[in-house]
Amino acid sequence: MFLGTYSPRLDDKGRLTLPAKFRDELRGGLMITKGQDHCLYVFTREAFVEMARTIAAAPLTNEAARAFQRNLFSGTDEQNPDAQGRITITPELRRYAGLSKDCTVIGAFTRVEIWDAQTWQRYQEDHEDDYAKAREEVLPGLI
């Protein structure tokens, strides 16, 4: 389970140091892919395979499903963190997420998200009120 917010920096080689709390779960390898809202998603291999099977099962005759599959799978990179817990983010993934030196890494329970720090700040400013006002119709069963 991934929780919390962290502020690592990208180095000149495009490497990012994963938060220490996430390293054990990601030590066996991870998948970095394009997320929604122009962030990056980081999954364990097992979680990615489970999600990918569901996505790959969508009918090939559905144009939106094909586009989603192409974007997701072509933008995915398999990584193994080095001894210092660093991963290298490909230039294409850095471009997609608009990553600069300052990043924000958040735990989103089943995945890690990597954001450009300024983009994350804007996202928070735009959505904090929505969270504060969330009602049951947003998340059924929420107390």
Side-chain angles (χ1 to χ4, degrees):
M1 152 171 76
F2 301 105
L3 302 170
T5 302
Y6 306 88
S7 300
R9 296 179 61 122
L10 275 178
D11 69 14
D12 292 336
K13 296 178 181 178
R15 296 178 300 190
L16 182 130
T17 302
L18 294 167
K21 288 185 176 185
F22 298 167
R23 291 181 198 167
D24 282 344
E25 193 162 349
L26 297 172
R27 188 175 318 277
L30 55 91
M31 309 300 276
I32 307 171
T33 193
K34 296 175 181 177
Q36 271 120 357
D37 302 309
H38 284 273
C39 69
L40 301 178
Y41 291 163
V42 178
F43 293 96
T44 63
R45 281 190 181 116
E46 296 78 20
F48 184 83
V49 168
E50 184 178 321
M51 177 191 66
R53 283 190 179 123
T54 301
I55 293 167
L60 291 176
T61 54
N62 183 308
E63 184 177 355
R66 287 193 313 271
F68 188 89
Q69 291 168 343
R70 287 174 181 142
N71 274 293
L72 177 73
F73 297 133
S74 70
T76 300
D77 185 42
E78 188 169 3
Q79 289 276 321
N80 283 302
D82 68 12
Q84 288 80 39
R86 295 177 301 193
I87 55 173
T88 301
I89 300 175
T90 66
E92 172 59 19
L93 289 174
R94 290 195 313 262
R95 182 206 59 79
Y96 172 80
L99 297 181
S100 59
K101 281 246 184 244
D102 295 319
C103 296
T104 300
V105 174
I106 67 166
F109 195 65
T110 60
R111 67 183 181 279
V112 173
E113 293 184 359
I114 301 171
W115 292 77
D116 173 74
Q118 290 181 345
T119 303
W120 173 249
Q121 184 61 40
R122 281 191 305 274
Y123 182 87
Q124 285 291 88
E125 290 166 2
D126 291 345
H127 293 88
E128 272 185 333
D129 282 346
D130 295 339
Y131 174 75
K133 295 175 185 173
R135 293 192 170 30
E136 186 172 2
E137 56 270 12
V138 174
L139 294 169
L142 184 66
I143 297 175

